[in-house]
Amino acid sequence: LAKTTQPISMDSYEGQEVNITCSHNNIATNDYITWYQQFPSQGPRFIIQGYKTKVTNEVASLFIPADRKSSTLSLPRVSLSDTAVYYCLVGDSGGSNYKLTFGKGTLLTVNP
Amino acid sequence: DAGITQSPRHKVTETGTPVTLRCHQTENHRYMYWYRQDPGHGLRLIHYSYGVKDTDKGEVSDGYSVSRSKTEDFLLTLESATSSQTSVYFCAIAASGYEQYFGPGTRLTVT
């Protein structure tokens, strides 16, 4: 099961682009990389998922280098409402019915 | 938002009593999951289901049992609640893959 490492916390300011990097050195060939966002007193919310190169949706972009040992979640022009915990997960692809293992995540604080 | 509800939303119970939490979905998704979240530990998977009557253990399954007799309901039972099971419990559903939709959570306090 691939483990992930990401910063405990990050600070930013409104309007800035924020990049959160996650390392997953032991990622397996069939594993996907998934990011979730969690606000206080709420369940996590799916943000984006990718396998390689770049994925973009209306919320974020996900950059994955060729070796797939890391990934970077990019949030463009953050606002105060983006203050949340962000989780990087690598899917357990060993025929285990899409189990996810959440780490402690990165607490992103956006300041005015 | 995905059609997923949890009941009760808050519960206080005494040590040694049985407790059942209910997760209900209207999405007809195949996969359902129960997590607990505690300060300093993040979310941890308790049990999950990949179909009616098909369940398996997660990383913190001791002291918990689950049942899924129909697609829309996934029940989590604490056979004899202990103070260490005080936590926030989240249910999640997924059609396939890793895009899970989470419920609003149940805050359980065991005194």
Side-chain angles (χ1 to χ4, degrees):
Chain A
L1 181 64
K3 289 185 64 175
T4 61
T5 302
Q6 54 184 124
I8 298 291
S9 63
M10 293 181 66
D11 281 287
S12 182
Y13 293 92
E14 284 190 290
Q16 288 187 335
E17 178 185 76
V18 171
N19 296 309
I20 306 175
T21 297
C22 176
S23 67
H24 26 78
N25 291 318
N26 297 321
I27 190 170
T29 302
N30 296 328
D31 285 344
Y32 278 74
I33 300 152
T34 309
W35 286 80
Y36 281 77
Q37 173 192 57
Q38 186 178 25
F39 298 112
S41 301
Q42 294 185 25
R45 182 176 74 104
F46 173 89
I47 301 175
I48 198 166
Q49 177 178 286
Y51 183 79
K52 62 180 178 181
T53 62
K54 177 183 174 182
V55 180
T56 297
N57 61 22
E58 65 278 6
V59 177
S61 295
L62 179 60
F63 298 92
I64 305 169
D67 66 6
R68 304 197 333 118
K69 293 184 182 299
S70 66
S71 59
T72 298
L73 175 73
S74 181
L75 305 172
R77 297 180 301 280
V78 294
S79 64
L80 296 177
S81 63
D82 292 315
T83 293
V85 177
Y86 292 82
Y87 297 95
C88 166
L89 302 99
V90 173
D92 184 346
S93 62
S96 59
N97 295 303
Y98 305 111
K99 287 195 301 184
L100 290 174
T101 299
F102 285 81
K104 297 183 181 179
T106 297
L107 174 60
L108 172 66
T109 302
V110 180
N111 300 292
Chain B
D1 288 344
I4 176 171
T5 57
Q6 294 183 231
S7 59
R9 294 292 314 279
H10 301 272
K11 186 170 181 66
V12 180
T13 191
E14 293 184 348
T15 298
T17 61
V19 177
T20 296
L21 308 182
R22 180 184 185 230
C23 178
H24 179 77
Q25 62 150 327
T26 57
E27 304 295 324
N28 201 36
H29 283 351
R30 176 182 178 185
Y31 300 95
M32 299 186 75
Y33 307 83
W34 276 107
Y35 295 88
R36 61 177 289 176
Q37 186 167 35
D38 307 289
H41 284 96
L43 282 107
R44 292 181 290 174
L45 181 65
I46 305 172
H47 281 280
Y48 64 101
S49 170
Y50 46 96
V52 173
K53 297 191 185 336
D54 291 323
T55 65
D56 205 349
K57 296 178 180 179
E59 60 181 304
V60 289
S61 59
D62 287 348
Y64 301 94
S65 62
V66 290
S67 66
R68 191 171 178 198
S69 59
K70 40 185 181 174
T71 299
E72 57 265 36
D73 289 325
F74 192 32
L75 303 180
L76 176 71
T77 297
L78 290 65
E79 302 292 347
S80 177
T82 67
S83 58
S84 65
Q85 294 176 311
T86 291
S87 186
V88 179
Y89 291 84
F90 288 103
C91 175
I93 62 175
S96 65
Y98 304 107
E99 187 171 348
Q100 296 182 10
Y101 297 95
F102 283 76
T106 294
R107 185 172 296 275
L108 176 68
T109 302
V110 183
T111 61

